[in-house]
Amino acid sequence: MSVCSVDVPGGGEPLFAMPPKTEAALRVAVRRLDPAAAVEFEREFHAAWEEAVQSDSTVPMHTFLHRWAVFVALHRYPARSARVRELERVVGRAESRDEAREAAAEVGDLLAAAVAEVSAE
């Protein structure tokens, strides 16, 4: 099976504007995008908070917020989100390393676009 790159630069229209990189705003966005991911969001939030308290550092919270902002940036565009899921399936059932690498590289490109979007905020 060959991976056919689909033009998904912005992925069409977003479901909503990019929220601020705050715990409350990202929580609402993640819940709206993927209720199952909201459970992981809560687990990671509590772990990051605990680590921040234990280490007396804000780095764990900044890392947590950045990670989930990228998730929101990636998945708030339905076409981009669908493409990532499709590429994940391709990687999972790839018949060759080249096919898996090609799909993984495209996932990387979509993630890079989401990171750039978050960094521009």
Side-chain angles (χ1 to χ4, degrees):
M1 171 185 277
S2 175
V3 178
C4 170
S5 182
V6 174
D7 185 41
V8 190
E13 291 298 314
L15 295 171
F16 50 83
M18 186 65 194
K21 205 182 335 179
T22 66
E23 172 259 329
L26 292 173
R27 176 180 280 119
V28 170
V30 170
R31 259 192 218 136
R32 183 170 175 194
L33 291 168
D34 185 346
V39 174
E40 184 66 14
F41 178 95
E42 293 301 329
R43 190 193 66 71
E44 287 186 20
F45 170 74
H46 293 293
W49 181 262
E50 187 66 31
E51 185 180 347
V53 168
Q54 295 292 327
S55 65
D56 194 28
S57 171
T58 60
V59 171
M61 292 307 294
H62 287 287
T63 302
F64 166 82
L65 293 172
H66 180 77
R67 180 235 186 291
W68 284 98
V70 170
F71 175 90
V72 169
L74 184 65
H75 293 287
R76 72 191 188 100
Y77 288 92
R80 191 160 53 180
S81 183
R83 184 63 179 155
V84 167
R85 286 185 168 89
E86 177 186 343
L87 290 165
E88 288 170 341
R89 285 189 295 275
V90 169
V91 169
R93 64 176 185 258
E95 296 177 10
S96 71
R97 284 187 180 158
D98 288 341
E99 183 181 4
R101 281 187 190 123
E102 187 179 333
E106 189 176 341
V107 169
D109 292 344
L110 293 169
L111 282 170
V115 168
E117 186 177 331
V118 168
S119 298
E121 294 291 316

